[in-house]
Amino acid sequence: MNEPISTRNLDQYGSAELPWSRPRDLLASESPESDLTFFVATVRPDGRPHTAGVGAVWVDDALYFVGGPGTRRSRNLAANPACTVSVRLPGIDLVLEGDAHRVTDPSTLERVATVYRGGGWPASVEGDGLTAPFTAPSAGPPPWHLYRLTLHTAFGVAAAEPHGATRWDFAH
């Protein structure tokens, strides 16, 4: 399990720290079945930010997403793996910070493709990437690279009871 090594309460109204299990369990149960939109922000070579919506899945306690080899996000990640991923989960907004690295291991590719298929995207493994009959129009042509986020820090702001705002730090 990817558990935080430290937690900091950011709530200014006296709410208790939020447990990491709250967003983690939602990521596990809501992706990919629910209609969640994840946004990946990367850094361009000139230092400017780039953000793109992606279909992401939480598999075996890690976040995975895809990008075509020619997309801005893939080119940015090849040069600098630092990124953030943001998502609105039921009752909590979440920002994940870390490094995203390409995954080419056949067993991991197949495991993640299986999860994507369970959510309705008919992904399959082709070579060292994923392919499917369709994807987002901005993803570029298949096969797509698969990325795994190595989590450094996460921030959660609860929009439902129990309210609160918390920072979680992770070993990396």
Side-chain angles (χ1 to χ4, degrees):
M1 293 290 272
N2 195 7
E3 292 298 320
I5 58 171
S6 67
T7 303
R8 189 166 131 210
N9 191 343
L10 303 176
D11 189 84
Q12 63 182 342
Y13 299 108
S15 297
E17 285 182 353
L18 302 170
W20 169 242
S21 60
R22 182 172 174 183
R24 184 200 62 217
D25 292 353
L26 286 167
L27 285 165
S29 66
E30 299 291 323
S31 74
E33 288 81 15
S34 295
D35 187 20
L36 300 175
T37 302
F38 293 82
F39 292 92
V40 175
T42 58
V43 182
R44 297 174 195 258
D46 66 4
R48 292 181 301 133
H50 171 74
T51 303
V54 298
V57 292
W58 188 260
V59 179
D60 299 331
D61 217 30
L63 190 79
Y64 293 86
F65 60 91
V66 297
T71 61
R72 170 52 52 201
R73 78 175 155 272
S74 289
R75 293 191 325 262
N76 289 348
L77 290 170
N80 178 355
C83 66
T84 64
V85 180
S86 305
V87 62
R88 171 169 272 182
L89 298 168
I92 188 167
D93 296 336
L94 186 65
V95 176
L96 306 169
E97 295 181 344
D99 293 326
H101 295 279
R102 187 163 175 223
V103 175
T104 59
D105 170 65
S107 63
T108 303
L109 287 166
E110 187 53 51
R111 172 79 175 111
V112 174
T114 298
V115 173
Y116 273 122
R117 286 192 300 271
W121 185 48
S124 61
V125 177
E126 182 178 300
D128 61 0
L130 298 181
T131 188
F134 62 87
T135 193
S138 62
W144 301 288
H145 293 170
L146 179 68
Y147 295 92
R148 180 186 192 275
L149 180 68
T150 299
L151 196 52
H152 297 186
T153 307
F155 299 89
V157 178
E161 290 290 339
H163 293 285
T166 302
R167 172 188 171 133
W168 302 277
D169 294 300
F170 300 84
H172 53 274

